[in-house]
Amino acid sequence: MDTTLDAWFVSEILVHEAALVQYLRRCWTQPDEIVDLRQEVYVRVYEAAAKARPQQPKSFLFASARHLMTDRLRRSRVVSIEPAGDFESLNVLVDEVSPERRFGARQILRRLAAAFDRLPGRCREIVWLRRVEELPQKEVALRLGISEKAVEKQIARGMRLLAEYYHGDDAAPSAPRRGETARAAEPAD
């Protein structure tokens, strides 16, 4: 141990203990932590002085105390990312996909693809650009050389036809083929 450092610490730092404790009580809201804060300030000052003695020890002592309180406040505001409980018992973790769920998902995908394939060509293209590629309505209209209103109508028509086929039975009205009009393809009420 460095006896000169110890002597310096006693003569330059410990003489301000009463003022330091008063400062900590005035600034820190939890009185039960004052003793711990004081000790931590002393450790910081002692370790720093072991490397190089400060020119103004009292100012250095109080600056160290202020920095310590600031550090503690910052740490108290940080939210821990450590798990707060046993997530396994809560069934929060992602389950492995069962073969039944995988098969069901494939069936849904096949049915949706079949419904999509039944859409008229232009309608299918517009639905693809708008819903799959997520292009804005204006860009779809510009790309296809049609009005935004036409895009809007084709999207509505495509969604209706997809829903009819997907949610209805296999006998749901199919999209009109080339040469047929939309009215002719729809069942009469």
Side-chain angles (χ1 to χ4, degrees):
M1 245 198 207
D2 186 0
T3 56
T4 57
L5 177 60
D6 291 346
W8 174 87
F9 190 80
V10 169
S11 66
E12 297 293 332
I13 300 298
L14 286 182
V15 294
H16 303 293
E17 183 171 6
L20 175 64
V21 170
Q22 184 180 9
Y23 175 70
L24 292 172
R25 281 193 180 127
R26 192 175 63 240
C27 296
W28 196 249
T29 58
Q30 288 116 2
D32 56 322
E33 294 180 5
I34 298 299
V35 174
D36 290 338
L37 282 171
R38 182 193 66 196
Q39 276 312 114
E40 199 168 334
V41 170
Y42 285 159
V43 168
R44 283 185 175 197
V45 170
Y46 191 89
E47 288 174 349
K51 295 175 186 168
R53 305 277 195 291
Q55 296 295 318
Q56 299 175 338
K58 184 177 180 182
S59 297
F60 185 73
L61 174 68
F62 285 93
S64 296
R66 187 176 63 251
H67 292 160
L68 173 64
M69 289 185 286
T70 304
D71 290 347
R72 282 210 176 177
L73 282 172
R74 273 193 208 119
R75 266 187 258 131
S76 71
R77 290 185 182 148
V78 173
V79 177
S80 173
I81 59 171
E82 296 296 319
D86 182 15
F87 287 119
E88 289 179 12
S89 67
L90 299 174
N91 287 330
V92 177
L93 300 174
V94 179
D95 319 336
E96 287 190 32
V97 179
S98 68
E100 294 83 15
R101 285 183 65 189
R102 185 173 288 138
F103 179 73
R106 284 187 179 144
Q107 282 184 319
I108 290 169
L109 190 57
R110 281 189 195 108
R111 189 163 177 89
L112 186 59
F116 188 76
D117 288 343
R118 292 182 69 175
L119 292 176
R122 184 65 146 197
C123 183
R124 182 173 48 245
E125 183 179 14
I126 291 170
V127 169
W128 182 268
L129 291 172
R130 216 34 206 112
R131 299 292 187 215
V132 177
E133 293 188 18
E134 296 179 337
L135 295 178
Q137 187 169 309
K138 190 174 194 169
E139 190 173 328
V140 173
L142 287 172
R143 185 180 284 193
L144 299 177
I146 59 176
S147 70
E148 285 186 57
K149 189 72 172 168
V151 171
E152 192 176 309
K153 285 182 181 180
Q154 288 295 320
I155 290 292
R157 179 177 178 220
M159 294 296 107
R160 181 182 47 79
L161 290 171
L162 283 171
E164 284 175 0
Y165 177 73
Y166 185 82
H167 293 294
D169 59 355
D170 289 337
S174 64
R177 304 288 176 223
R178 261 184 212 258
E180 294 180 5
T181 64
R183 293 259 179 239
E186 294 178 2
D189 290 25

